[in-house]
Amino acid sequence: MLAKGLRSTRLRNFDKILILQIDVMEKFRKLAYKYMNCVQAGRMLIQASDKLNIPFIMVEQNKRVMGETAKEILEYKHPKVQSFEKFVMSAYEVPAIKKAIDDLKPENVLIYGLEAHACVLQTTLDLLEAGYNVHALVDGISSFDRVNRAAAIVRMMNSGAIVSTTETALLDMMYDSKNPNFKVNLGIAKGKLKIEDPLTDLL
């Protein structure tokens, strides 16, 4: 049993989960370290959102300059996805995004995207200060270089974020092989992209 005032970090109640994608933009494709891992995370999570009815917010930075979200993710975009454009680093500082998140009242926010030390970090810090449990899905978080990515992950962890991965989150959701969601998430995990140079290190 949780101590009074604490909220569970387990991902069993889909109504209390929010998947928050930050700026997985085409502009970053040739610039970001291990970009395709971010795309992989996005593909898996947007499918889970659709099949398990988990709220999904897609944030896009200055689309006129940065282009669209990665095409491999947009391929699975469904009507329940809420999309927002932003021009500041922290998505939570955009009134429309803040309202969308607060209206959903999630206990756990699964965050991933680009860049780790800028938009992802600042959004994470704001969400933590607002009282949300934030799961930093590090296999889907990156920057242009490894040092900034690593430093951002350490800071998120030291600030109270839960360091996790996409598959860890999916496994927590399906937890029981007799649960119908087990086969759903297992199928998503098996349908991963074949990445030539995948991320293999936490930092």
Side-chain angles (χ1 to χ4, degrees), residues 21-148:
Q21 175 177 295
I22 304 293
D23 305 343
V24 186
M25 314 293 288
E26 283 290 346
K27 185 81 170 183
F28 291 141
R29 187 174 290 269
K30 295 182 179 180
L31 299 172
Y33 172 69
K34 306 292 187 183
Y35 173 84
M36 287 305 297
N37 278 90
C38 299
V39 172
Q40 179 83 277
R43 276 172 56 97
M44 294 172 71
L45 290 163
I46 202 168
Q47 290 179 76
S49 163
D50 187 21
K51 295 178 184 298
L52 303 177
N53 201 28
I54 298 171
F56 189 107
I57 290 179
M58 179 182 292
V59 180
E60 299 170 305
Q61 177 77 20
N62 193 353
K63 293 176 66 174
R64 184 182 66 82
V65 174
M66 305 303 295
E68 296 289 336
T69 289
K71 61 179 183 287
E72 295 92 343
I73 298 173
L74 288 181
E75 171 184 358
Y76 289 97
K77 188 175 182 182
H78 53 86
K80 292 172 285 188
V81 172
Q82 295 187 69
S83 297
F84 297 92
E85 186 175 18
K86 68 177 177 64
F87 297 89
V88 296
M89 290 193 184
S90 173
Y92 199 63
E93 290 183 4
V94 179
I97 300 176
K98 182 181 185 300
K99 184 178 186 304
I101 294 172
D102 292 346
D103 284 351
L104 287 167
K105 298 180 174 62
E107 290 184 355
N108 294 285
V109 179
L110 311 183
I111 193 170
Y112 65 98
L114 295 150
E115 279 191 80
H117 62 296
C119 300
V120 178
L121 173 62
Q122 292 194 29
T123 302
T124 295
L125 295 177
D126 281 346
L127 289 170
L128 288 168
E129 289 179 6
Y132 294 108
N133 294 332
V134 181
H135 299 243
L137 305 184
V138 295
D139 58 315
I141 295 174
S142 196
S143 294
F144 289 1
D145 63 78
R146 295 177 66 178
V147 174
N148 281 323

